[in-house]
Amino acid sequence: MANKLDPMDLKQILTLHLDGYSNRKIGSVLGISRNTVNTYMQLFAGSGYSFRELLGFDTAALSELFSSHTTLDATRHNELMLYFEGVNKARNHPGFTFLYHYQQYVELAAEPYSYTQFLEHYRRKYPKEKGSMKLQHIAGEEMFVDFAGKKLQIIDKHTGEVIAVEVFVAILPCSQYTYIQACRSQKREDMISCCTAALRFYGGSPKAIVSDNLKSAVNRSSRYEADINRSFKDFARHYNCVINPTRSYAPQDKALVENAVHLAYQRIYYPLREMTFFSLEDLNREIAVLLERYNNLLFKRKESSRIELFQSIEREYLKALPADPYELKDYKRAKVQKMGYVYFSPEKCYYSVPYRYIGKETMIHYTRSRIEIFYNHERIALHPRNLTKGSYITNADHLSSTHKFYSEWSPEFFRKKALPHGDYVLACIEKILASHDYPEINYKRSLGIIHLHRAYGSGRLNNACKRALDTDSCSYLRIKNILKNNMDRLLLSVNELDPQKPHIPFHSNIRGASAYE
């Protein structure tokens, strides 16, 4: 098919003709149809100017002189262009095919084009190609991450099973310093683990991590505001950066990391093709060796390596990493039970929360080492994780005053409570605590005896305990009866007194006691 020629092509035809080339030879040299050359030679001859005069015209003059000429069949071509307007309107309709419309065109046209020319004319009328833009990357601004499309392999040494493993690739776009690691899968925990390793490799964190729309990174993709996976967002918060997913079906948004993947095939995959690995650790150890060589290769145009560019222009702009590495978090909802605990189903454990949150719905954030409990996005409890099934993990500060008092019961607790009321009260409590193997009964009896001071005072309680000790009958009911019947007020019998001393009312010199007449 012949087309309208560019004025520069016309000048080449004129030059070759004046050099003595035939029309066939001119067409062969310029890659133009012989019939097209013949047509233009006739136009040149009928223009009223000599060939040398035409050659002296500038481009604009030649373009104006031969602007209206084309070797296309105008009627046939115009008919096709009009038909294309209807085709283009139906372009986005489900089930659209060019073949269907071409078959309709053949039935309507008197002299239809071939199917190949039909498509060619359509693409020229409605071109789809877009220009590309050269992006300037700022040092320390972004880290691009992606998984390679092709996988590597390890072999289970026990079963001989060949296991395909994913390959994670990260790149800092300004220096193109690259990190590569093999991992088990593209799941959330592996994705975050690889990103953590990449940040440690770089020794700092960028302002943003640019990821693909993986399920492990993005819950729901969007051209304007993607819904980031909660764990990945928490990971970014820990390292003081943000997540910026690329647009769906827009590989140009992450062209650098796509190119890094292709280079990984050449520099990492190919040298590993004949090696056998029996563990992920062995594979990553060899990848690290090859990666170091790759990052030390000189760029042809920049005359420096990736690591040199990183050290000189990018490293200082990365933000410092936190002291503690990120621990992957999971989340569970739980209602605070009446006893002031939330139930944690993975280990079937109970963790305490402040008693004022009883009946509230909370969110448990948990890692391998700790449990955090949140209410309305505010942390209300923090516990080390206990892997013992069925255990109760209690923070005494979370208990109400009543529960806290009960939780503190112990032999030492009751000794401290008894001591301010007198030595005989303490002796009586110690005797009760030692009397039974089951401590709860002793605790209740001890508490009852100590509470008698509220009605009778510490002095009378101390005297009553002395009388109970003398008769070897230390019990709550015995001591209560002594106080109720005023038996602690009775004078000691004569044979209990010192015969050398006069009969005087009993005055106890025991600490905490009072004198009674």
Side-chain angles (χ1 to χ4, degrees), residues 435-448:
S435 63
H436 287 279
D437 292 334
Y438 186 65
E440 294 295 327
I441 295 175
N442 299 335
Y443 293 162
K444 290 178 181 179
R445 289 175 178 174
S446 299
L447 185 64

Side-chain angles (χ1 to χ4, degrees), residues 25-310:
K25 185 68 173 175
I26 293 172
S28 176
V29 171
L30 299 179
I32 301 172
S33 166
R34 178 171 59 87
N35 291 331
T36 302
V37 177
N38 291 339
T39 302
Y40 273 98
M41 293 303 290
Q42 293 171 9
L43 289 172
F44 295 154
S47 66
Y49 297 97
S50 68
F51 282 83
R52 291 197 178 277
E53 288 176 329
L54 289 172
L55 188 59
F57 287 176
D58 59 19
T59 300
L62 274 179
S63 180
E64 184 178 354
L65 190 61
F66 300 103
S67 61
S68 63
H69 180 74
T70 175
T71 57
L72 293 172
D73 184 335
T75 304
R76 184 186 182 203
H77 185 263
N78 290 340
E79 181 184 29
L80 181 62
M81 293 301 106
L82 288 172
Y83 182 75
F84 278 159
E85 291 181 7
V87 173
N88 196 54
K89 289 179 181 178
R91 183 71 178 85
N92 295 323
H93 195 281
F96 171 91
T97 65
F98 282 107
L99 183 59
Y100 174 82
H101 286 279
Y102 176 71
Q103 291 169 345
Q104 280 193 336
Y105 162 72
V106 169
E107 293 176 2
L108 297 173
E111 190 180 351
Y113 287 93
S114 68
Y115 183 58
T116 302
Q117 292 300 318
F118 178 86
L119 294 177
E120 179 65 23
H121 278 296
Y122 181 86
R123 292 185 182 116
R124 288 187 181 184
K125 183 173 176 63
Y126 301 104
K128 278 193 171 183
E129 292 185 6
K130 298 179 181 178
S132 61
M133 177 183 177
K134 177 69 173 78
L135 297 175
Q136 296 296 328
H137 298 284
I138 302 172
E141 190 83 6
E142 296 171 318
M143 178 179 79
F144 287 79
V145 299
D146 199 7
F147 282 97
K150 299 176 183 177
K151 300 181 181 183
L152 292 175
Q153 296 177 338
I154 59 175
I155 297 176
D156 189 318
K157 63 173 65 176
H158 302 292
T159 64
E161 178 188 1
V162 177
I163 303 170
V165 294
E166 301 287 348
V167 177
F168 171 86
V169 179
I171 185 171
L172 297 178
C174 187
S175 62
Q176 297 190 36
Y177 193 38
T178 306
Y179 174 75
I180 300 174
Q181 176 185 338
C183 59
R184 292 284 179 180
S185 69
Q186 294 187 19
K187 292 181 179 179
R188 180 192 55 172
E189 53 269 24
D190 288 317
M191 169 81 166
I192 291 178
S193 175
C194 288
C195 286
T196 303
L199 294 180
R200 287 203 307 268
F201 177 78
Y202 293 131
S205 60
K207 292 181 180 178
I209 297 175
V210 181
S211 71
D212 202 352
N213 286 277
L214 300 167
K215 283 293 183 184
S216 53
V218 178
N219 292 330
R220 178 177 52 81
S221 61
S222 170
R223 186 180 182 88
Y224 304 106
E225 187 176 2
D227 180 15
I228 310 299
N229 178 285
R230 186 170 188 170
S231 295
F232 202 29
K233 190 185 295 184
D234 188 63
F235 161 83
R237 181 200 55 77
H238 182 81
Y239 286 105
N240 193 24
C241 60
V242 297
I243 306 299
N244 181 26
T246 59
R247 295 173 296 168
S248 298
Y249 307 106
Q252 66 271 21
D253 286 3
K254 54 185 180 71
L256 273 175
V257 73
E258 293 282 357
N259 186 55
V261 168
H262 290 300
L263 291 174
Y265 293 153
Q266 299 171 16
R267 303 294 183 180
I268 306 294
Y269 280 58
Y270 192 74
L272 294 175
R273 71 192 187 284
E274 295 179 351
M275 298 184 187
T276 301
F277 300 95
F278 296 99
S279 71
L280 206 57
E281 291 74 19
D282 292 341
L283 175 57
N284 279 323
R285 197 175 296 115
E286 188 61 31
I287 287 176
V289 173
L290 296 171
L291 181 63
E292 184 177 3
R293 295 177 192 167
Y294 169 69
N295 281 323
N296 279 294
L297 290 174
L298 295 177
F299 287 108
K300 290 183 179 179
R301 296 181 182 178
K302 297 182 180 179
E303 296 183 353
S304 58
S305 66
R306 290 172 173 81
I307 192 168
E308 288 172 343
L309 288 173
F310 170 72

Side-chain angles (χ1 to χ4, degrees), residues 412-432:
E412 187 60 30
F413 172 81
F414 286 102
R415 290 189 188 101
K416 289 180 180 179
K417 289 287 184 182
L419 186 59
H421 304 294
D423 292 341
Y424 294 125
V425 177
L426 176 60
C428 194
I429 293 299
E430 287 182 336
K431 187 170 183 178
I432 291 173

